[in-house]
Amino acid sequence: MLALNANITLAQALNAPEAPQTVDASGKLQFYRFADVNVQVAGQIKDVLFAVGDAVQEGQLVMEISPAIRANQMDSNRAQMARLRAELADQQAQTDFAELQFKRQTQLKAQNATRDESVESSRMNLSSARARVDAINAQIQQLEATLKSDEESSRHKQVLAPLSGTVVAVNARPGQTVSIGQQGLPLMRIADLSQMTVQARVAEVDVTRLKRGMTANFQTPGYPGRTWSGKLRQVLLVPADGTAEQGKQTFYNVLFEVDNPEQELMSGMTAKVQFIIAQPKSALLSPAKPVAPVDAQ
């Protein structure tokens, strides 16, 4: 019986599955695809149509702005443009007349039928008329630029969602004054929660063992006992912030995505990650046959 038990124990040991070779790391979940909503025109927020947690579609109206450019100001600029164009037409007619006068005086001078003073006077009148035309044209160009800017501002009073997803942050409120390129928090952030990114910090000694496409498994404290998987996408080539300094260990950020169809995973969750370096070959051994005891002769 001793020989039989010894053989069974040996067979069980030989058939025990080998553990995969892994690199362990800690990480955080973050949004894989998101976009911030900001304004393209200065003004005042009139209405915010969505709150945190709401689903939106790309191109959907999410916010309305009352532009700083008022309608009466645009009307005033258009009226000024009409006056300038009428003034330009009148001045152009005066310039044409001045050109005729100058040509006539030039011809008379060639015939010695006019004085030098008259020729110079007509030349000056023509130069002055042309200068006034140039000045009016410059005013028209400047006003055209202003009108174009006003019209652009008027068109951008509706703020649209840049992508389909879920509103994850709102920092805008009705009545708030906003400007183009303002600093600080985005007015709204929209994220596609169907997929998340895990950013893991891997020690320098292990990062060279990682390859693109290898399997990465992780668990998070929020869901004990559950495991998610993804494929390694990228190893960032610069050290992680706060590492690689004098006296500190160097770590590198490694990224991979995980599907999140039920939107259970959230940005900022902690991830305990295992990168699978190599899977053991399943060598299924047949159970060892017990050795029959030899009868004593």
Side-chain angles (χ1 to χ4, degrees), residues 1-179:
M1 287 297 296
L2 219 50
L4 177 62
N5 288 337
N7 279 283
I8 292 174
T9 304
L10 177 61
Q12 290 174 341
L14 290 173
N15 284 316
E18 300 177 40
Q21 299 178 37
T22 63
V23 166
D24 295 340
S26 60
K28 290 283 185 181
L29 277 93
Q30 59 189 26
F31 299 127
Y32 172 58
R33 185 167 177 258
F34 69 92
D36 291 336
V37 176
N38 288 302
V39 297
Q40 298 180 24
V41 56
Q44 191 175 56
I45 296 176
K46 182 180 178 182
D47 199 6
V48 180
L49 304 177
F50 291 90
V52 172
D54 290 343
V56 298
Q57 297 298 315
E58 182 177 353
Q60 192 170 6
L61 179 66
V62 296
M63 204 178 303
E64 288 187 288
I65 306 293
S66 296
I69 302 297
R70 301 296 180 184
N72 56 357
Q73 183 177 342
M74 293 180 66
D75 291 342
S76 175
N77 287 338
R78 291 192 185 101
Q80 184 180 353
M81 177 64 78
R83 288 194 299 270
L84 284 173
R85 292 195 184 283
E87 185 179 340
L88 177 62
D90 178 67
Q91 187 58 51
Q92 189 62 58
Q94 294 184 42
T95 303
D96 292 342
F97 179 74
E99 285 180 351
L100 290 174
Q101 290 291 96
F102 176 65
K103 286 180 181 178
R104 183 171 180 275
Q105 289 295 324
T106 302
Q107 292 170 354
L108 291 173
K109 177 61 178 174
Q111 300 169 7
N112 291 320
T114 187
R115 295 179 299 174
D116 290 342
E117 292 84 353
S118 298
V119 175
E120 288 304 315
S121 177
S122 63
R123 188 197 306 274
M124 290 179 60
N125 289 338
L126 177 58
S127 297
S128 178
R130 286 174 174 171
R132 285 196 294 272
V133 168
D134 291 341
I136 296 171
N137 275 323
Q139 293 180 57
I140 288 174
Q141 290 176 3
Q142 183 177 6
L143 192 56
E144 281 176 342
T146 301
L147 282 169
K148 184 178 179 181
S149 176
D150 292 351
E151 289 168 0
E152 286 290 325
S153 297
S154 180
R155 280 198 296 268
H156 288 118
K157 63 184 179 182
Q158 293 186 329
V159 183
L160 308 180
L163 57 76
S164 298
T166 303
V167 177
V168 295
V170 176
N171 301 296
R173 64 184 186 281
Q176 178 180 348
T177 301
V178 292
S179 60

